[in-house]
Amino acid sequence: MNLSLSATWFLFVSLVGVVLAGCGAIEPPPQQYPHATVSFDVKVPTDTPANVVITVVGSEPSLGSDTAPGFRLRREREGQYTGSVRLPVGAEVSFDLWVEDAWRSEISAEGTAVPRHSFRVDGDMTVDVTVAGWGEPSQGPR
Protein backbone atom coordinates (compact mmCIF):
# COMPACT_ATOMS: atom_id res chain seq x y z
CA MET A 1 0.00 0.00 0.00
CA ASN A 2 1.48 3.32 -1.07
CA LEU A 3 0.39 6.47 0.77
CA SER A 4 0.83 9.86 -0.72
CA LEU A 5 3.22 12.25 1.00
CA SER A 6 0.34 14.40 2.33
CA ALA A 7 -1.48 11.34 3.75
CA THR A 8 1.74 10.14 5.42
CA TRP A 9 2.33 13.60 6.90
CA PHE A 10 -1.25 13.77 8.20
CA LEU A 11 -0.93 10.37 9.91
CA PHE A 12 2.45 11.32 11.39
CA VAL A 13 1.19 14.61 12.84
CA SER A 14 -1.89 12.88 14.30
CA LEU A 15 0.25 10.12 15.85
CA VAL A 16 2.65 12.67 17.40
CA GLY A 17 -0.31 14.58 18.87
CA VAL A 18 -1.68 11.40 20.46
CA VAL A 19 1.72 10.46 21.90
CA LEU A 20 2.37 13.93 23.30
CA ALA A 21 -1.12 14.20 24.78
CA GLY A 22 -0.67 10.80 26.45
CA CYS A 23 2.56 11.86 28.19
CA GLY A 24 1.19 15.13 29.49
CA ALA A 25 3.23 17.36 27.16
CA ILE A 26 0.04 18.98 25.87
CA GLU A 27 -2.02 20.27 28.77
CA PRO A 28 -5.73 20.90 28.56
CA PRO A 29 -6.78 24.53 28.77
CA PRO A 30 -7.23 25.84 32.32
CA GLN A 31 -10.66 25.51 33.85
CA GLN A 32 -12.70 28.65 33.45
CA TYR A 33 -14.41 29.97 36.55
CA PRO A 34 -17.35 32.31 36.27
CA HIS A 35 -16.58 35.91 37.16
CA ALA A 36 -18.79 38.89 37.91
CA THR A 37 -18.28 42.61 37.68
CA VAL A 38 -18.16 44.20 41.12
CA SER A 39 -18.45 47.98 41.18
CA PHE A 40 -17.38 50.07 44.16
CA ASP A 41 -19.26 53.29 44.83
CA VAL A 42 -17.56 55.15 47.68
CA LYS A 43 -18.77 58.42 49.17
CA VAL A 44 -16.05 60.27 51.09
CA PRO A 45 -16.21 63.11 53.66
CA THR A 46 -16.38 66.66 52.31
CA ASP A 47 -12.97 67.45 53.81
CA THR A 48 -11.29 64.80 51.62
CA PRO A 49 -8.92 66.68 49.27
CA ALA A 50 -9.87 66.35 45.60
CA ASN A 51 -6.36 65.28 44.55
CA VAL A 52 -6.07 62.17 46.77
CA VAL A 53 -6.25 58.59 45.56
CA ILE A 54 -8.74 56.31 47.32
CA THR A 55 -7.63 52.70 47.31
CA VAL A 56 -9.48 49.44 47.98
CA VAL A 57 -7.10 46.92 49.56
CA GLY A 58 -8.75 43.53 49.78
CA SER A 59 -8.47 39.78 49.98
CA GLU A 60 -8.66 39.04 46.23
CA PRO A 61 -5.63 39.37 43.90
CA SER A 62 -7.32 42.11 41.84
CA LEU A 63 -7.68 44.06 45.11
CA GLY A 64 -4.04 43.61 46.08
CA SER A 65 -4.27 40.40 48.13
CA ASP A 66 -4.33 42.57 51.28
CA THR A 67 -1.19 44.49 50.32
CA ALA A 68 -0.62 47.92 48.82
CA PRO A 69 -1.28 49.39 46.36
CA GLY A 70 -4.58 47.51 45.97
CA PHE A 71 -7.18 48.79 43.50
CA ARG A 72 -7.38 52.54 42.88
CA LEU A 73 -10.76 54.17 42.51
CA ARG A 74 -11.52 57.03 40.11
CA ARG A 75 -12.84 60.35 41.34
CA GLU A 76 -16.19 60.87 39.64
CA ARG A 77 -17.20 64.14 41.25
CA GLU A 78 -16.82 65.91 44.56
CA GLY A 79 -17.14 63.31 47.30
CA GLN A 80 -17.58 60.23 45.10
CA TYR A 81 -15.08 57.62 43.89
CA THR A 82 -15.90 54.58 41.76
CA GLY A 83 -14.27 51.61 40.08
CA SER A 84 -15.08 48.10 38.84
CA VAL A 85 -13.19 44.82 38.97
CA ARG A 86 -13.89 41.25 37.88
CA LEU A 87 -14.06 38.81 40.80
CA PRO A 88 -14.83 35.08 40.94
CA VAL A 89 -18.47 34.24 41.60
CA GLY A 90 -18.77 32.72 45.06
CA ALA A 91 -15.70 34.52 46.44
CA GLU A 92 -15.89 35.79 50.01
CA VAL A 93 -14.23 39.21 49.79
CA SER A 94 -13.06 41.50 52.58
CA PHE A 95 -11.47 44.91 52.13
CA ASP A 96 -10.38 48.20 53.70
CA LEU A 97 -10.42 51.69 52.22
CA TRP A 98 -7.34 53.92 52.36
CA VAL A 99 -6.30 57.40 51.32
CA GLU A 100 -3.10 56.62 49.48
CA ASP A 101 -1.23 59.91 49.99
CA ALA A 102 -0.26 59.11 53.59
CA TRP A 103 -1.97 55.72 53.98
CA ARG A 104 -4.78 56.97 56.18
CA SER A 105 -7.41 54.30 56.87
CA GLU A 106 -11.14 54.72 57.19
CA ILE A 107 -12.48 55.58 60.66
CA SER A 108 -15.98 55.87 62.15
CA ALA A 109 -17.71 59.14 63.05
CA GLU A 110 -16.53 58.49 66.64
CA GLY A 111 -12.91 58.28 65.48
CA THR A 112 -12.49 54.53 65.98
CA ALA A 113 -11.20 52.00 63.45
CA VAL A 114 -13.82 50.63 61.08
CA PRO A 115 -14.03 46.82 60.80
CA ARG A 116 -13.18 45.36 57.40
CA HIS A 117 -15.99 45.48 54.89
CA SER A 118 -17.02 42.09 53.50
CA PHE A 119 -19.36 40.63 50.91
CA ARG A 120 -19.95 37.51 48.84
CA VAL A 121 -19.82 37.74 45.05
CA ASP A 122 -23.11 36.27 43.83
CA GLY A 123 -23.09 37.98 40.42
CA ASP A 124 -22.69 41.47 39.02
CA MET A 125 -23.13 43.86 41.92
CA THR A 126 -22.36 47.26 43.41
CA VAL A 127 -20.72 47.70 46.82
CA ASP A 128 -21.76 51.02 48.36
CA VAL A 129 -19.65 52.52 51.15
CA THR A 130 -19.98 55.85 52.91
CA VAL A 131 -16.80 56.89 54.71
CA ALA A 132 -17.27 58.93 57.90
CA GLY A 133 -13.64 60.02 58.20
CA TRP A 134 -9.97 59.25 57.65
CA GLY A 135 -7.47 58.33 60.37
CA GLU A 136 -3.93 59.49 60.99
CA PRO A 137 -1.10 58.67 58.53
CA SER A 138 0.28 55.15 59.01
CA GLN A 139 2.49 52.51 57.44
CA GLY A 140 -0.45 51.41 55.29
CA PRO A 141 -1.50 47.91 54.29
CA ARG A 142 1.27 45.34 53.96
Side-chain angles (χ1 to χ4, degrees), residues 5-64:
L5 182 59
S6 60
T8 304
W9 182 250
F10 176 77
L11 289 173
F12 175 74
V13 169
S14 299
L15 181 60
V16 168
V18 169
V19 169
L20 288 176
C23 72
I26 298 176
E27 295 183 25
Q31 235 180 342
Q32 297 296 317
Y33 297 101
H35 282 72
T37 299
V38 176
S39 299
F40 291 90
D41 186 357
V42 178
K43 291 174 183 51
V44 299
T46 56
D47 63 348
T48 303
N51 63 341
V52 299
V53 176
I54 306 299
T55 302
V56 179
V57 178
S59 55
E60 285 294 311
S62 58
L63 299 176

Side-chain angles (χ1 to χ4, degrees), residues 99-111:
V99 173
E100 196 174 288
D101 65 341
W103 291 111
R104 295 181 292 141
S105 63
E106 177 184 4
I107 58 172
S108 70
E110 294 77 33

Side-chain angles (χ1 to χ4, degrees), residues 71-116:
F71 175 70
R72 294 176 172 160
L73 300 176
R74 291 181 312 276
R75 182 175 186 265
E76 291 296 319
R77 60 183 170 271
E78 177 105 12
Q80 184 179 14
Y81 288 76
T82 63
S84 297
V85 295
R86 301 278 295 160
L87 297 173
V89 171
E92 298 287 340
V93 180
S94 62
F95 69 94
D96 294 308
L97 293 171
W98 295 82
V99 173
E100 196 174 288
D101 65 341
W103 291 111
R104 295 181 292 141
S105 63
E106 177 184 4
I107 58 172
S108 70
E110 294 77 33
T112 59
V114 172
R116 284 177 70 93

